[in-house]
Amino acid sequence: MGVERVEVIAPKTEGTIPDEFIRSENEQPGITTVRGKVLEVPTIDFSDPDERKLIRQIAEASSNWGMYQIVNHDIPSEAIRNLQAVGKEFFELPQEEKEAYAKPLDSDSIEGYGTKLFKEVSEGNVTKKGWVDHMFNKIWPPSVINYQFWPKNPPSYREANEEYAKHMHKVVEKLFRLLSLGLGLQGQELKKASGGDDLIYLLKINYYPPCPRPDLALGVVAHTDMSIVTILVPNDVQGLQACRDGRWYNVKYIPNALVIHIGDQMEIMSNGKYKAVLHRTTVNKDKTRISWPVFLEPPADHVIGPLPQLVNQENPPKYKTKTYGEYVYCKLNKIPQ
């Protein structure tokens, strides 16, 4: 099998976890989480008819928080429920069925069922790991979809994902327009700079099995997303944390809201006006947490840099211009950008 899945390890643990999942003390959520306070990130009514107010709210939240929740976004709750149901069903299949969709070890593509993602830090002789398994599928545009990695069981997996992608379109179009206007740009500028109609929707399912020592482990370690924007829905198990003023807080999730993360590419294009959010994921002792982020990404050969309209003598470029593929390679391999 190559890599032992966290799903396989979890049932074998009795009150303890293997050393490779124990984070250093400056990362352990039991030590580093602010207790007794839940972070209420901005909540934005996406249906507000006052567009100027909406532009201001989106721009302020993207600049000051990098994370917010949008409600009344017009994605039917049934479409979200179906997406979540088929993802959960896939991860509950027998292990050998899931392995049929495993990402090949020699593959350059991220798609498929897997465990390892980031190049993890080694401490002594132990390479640290996150308490999570995952599934990646490109769900838009049709030209990049690779159905080889789309599970055939449950049978409604494809239908549920395609339906969700269809509804996601309208949210993405509106969000990019509002983000553009919030920077003083024309409404279509950010979408165009992100790859236009070639913008890729990369769905990831994060599956975090119950963990006997959630105080010591992390599902996903502290990071900013490489994407332009990430749009996420979780199940009802708390686990998302954001860093605010150097401290870690649990984020209060509103049912049926979409959680928006500003990603690295949006920070670069806005020349630092919009901020990528530093976040991480904790795990639960008794319950399985699952989340469904959609990463909005440019094609690998698309060049991203600070937009010329946002750069001048008083505000020089703060970031290098490079292809998205080059950026991803550097970040995954921890090479300075």
Side-chain angles (χ1 to χ4, degrees):
M1 190 161 64
V3 179
E4 192 169 21
R5 308 301 181 194
V6 178
E7 294 178 81
V8 175
I9 295 167
K12 301 175 187 172
T13 57
E14 294 181 13
T16 184
I17 55 175
D19 286 349
E20 61 263 32
F21 294 102
I22 299 174
R23 311 309 305 190
S24 59
E25 286 192 3
N26 64 348
E27 288 184 291
Q28 288 175 16
I31 297 172
T32 57
T33 301
V34 174
R35 299 293 166 193
K37 184 177 179 184
V38 175
L39 203 61
E40 296 195 28
V41 301
T43 301
I44 297 172
D45 183 348
F46 217 48
S47 67
D48 194 322
D50 185 346
E51 188 173 82
R52 288 171 73 176
K53 176 184 165 191
L54 200 47
I55 292 166
R56 188 177 67 252
Q57 287 179 327
I58 293 279
E60 285 177 359
S62 300
S63 302
N64 300 329
W65 289 82
M67 176 188 288
Y68 41 98
Q69 300 185 67
I70 57 176
V71 295
N72 299 322
H73 43 69
D74 282 347
I75 297 183
S77 51
E78 184 184 13
I80 294 174
R81 279 197 306 271
N82 290 343
L83 173 85
Q84 293 175 317
V86 295
K88 181 171 180 285
E89 283 180 56
F90 170 75
F91 276 93
E92 289 172 349
L93 291 173
Q95 196 59 37
E96 59 273 17
E97 278 196 57
K98 292 196 285 280
E99 293 297 341
Y101 300 96
K103 176 184 138 177
L105 292 175
D106 58 351
S107 173
D108 289 334
S109 170
I110 200 168
E111 289 186 90
Y113 172 64
T115 299
K116 186 181 175 188
L117 182 58
F118 286 104
K119 186 176 182 181
E120 285 279 20
V121 176
S122 293
E123 292 179 15
N125 296 320
V126 179
T127 300
K128 296 297 179 180
K129 297 178 181 175
W131 192 265
V132 63
D133 296 316
H134 61 248
M135 168 64 106
F136 277 103
N137 295 130
K138 290 177 182 175
I139 59 172
W140 191 262
S143 58
V144 303
I145 291 176
N146 188 348
Y147 289 115
Q148 173 191 346
F149 292 111
W150 285 45
K152 293 183 174 54
N153 192 10
S156 54
Y157 187 91
R158 176 170 171 173
E159 182 187 352
N161 278 272
E162 290 181 337
E163 181 73 8
Y164 186 67
K166 184 180 79 177
H167 291 294
M168 179 66 70
H169 265 309
K170 295 173 187 171
V171 173
V172 171
E173 293 289 324
K174 185 173 180 178
L175 182 61
F176 268 79
R177 191 169 65 81
L178 294 169
L179 285 162
S180 236
L181 295 168
L183 291 170
L185 303 169
Q186 296 293 316
Q188 76 285 356
E189 288 298 320
L190 275 179
K191 172 86 183 294
K192 197 164 71 177
S194 301
D197 291 337
D198 293 325
L199 185 71
I200 293 166
Y201 296 21
L202 177 65
L203 172 77
K204 182 186 184 191
I205 308 174
N206 287 308
Y207 188 86
Y208 310 94
C211 176
R213 294 300 305 270
D215 55 322
L216 301 178
L218 285 171
V220 178
V221 298
H223 68 288
T224 56
D225 290 344
M226 293 183 287
S227 60
I228 301 165
V229 173
T230 302
I231 302 177
L232 174 146
V233 291
N235 68 352
D236 58 357
V237 180
Q238 165 62 42
L240 181 60
Q241 291 193 334
C243 188
R244 191 85 174 147
D245 302 320
R247 307 181 76 192
W248 286 102
Y249 295 88
N250 291 317
V251 175
K252 182 180 180 182
Y253 174 66
I254 299 167
N256 284 320
L258 300 176
V259 181
I260 308 297
H261 295 171
I262 296 297
D264 295 343
Q265 308 312 305
M266 182 64 78
E267 181 170 323
I268 291 167
M269 287 193 295
S270 70
N271 203 30
K273 175 85 189 300
Y274 294 153
K275 302 288 192 299
V277 63
L278 184 64
H279 58 288
R280 68 182 187 184
T281 309
T282 59
V283 291
N284 191 283
K285 187 172 185 177
D286 306 306
K287 298 176 181 175
T288 296
R289 182 173 190 269
I290 316 177
S291 67
W292 290 259
V294 172
F295 303 101
L296 303 176
E297 300 185 337
D301 59 359
H302 189 75
V303 175
I304 296 278
L307 294 182
Q309 306 94 303
L310 303 177
V311 173
N312 54 42
Q313 213 163 354
E314 291 76 44
N315 190 28
K318 298 181 174 74
Y319 308 88
K320 292 177 183 173
T321 295
K322 61 180 72 170
T323 68
Y324 182 58
E326 289 169 332
Y327 184 90
V328 169
Y329 179 83
C330 290
K331 183 150 182 174
L332 287 179
N333 289 285
K334 302 193 183 302
I335 298 168
Q337 300 274 5

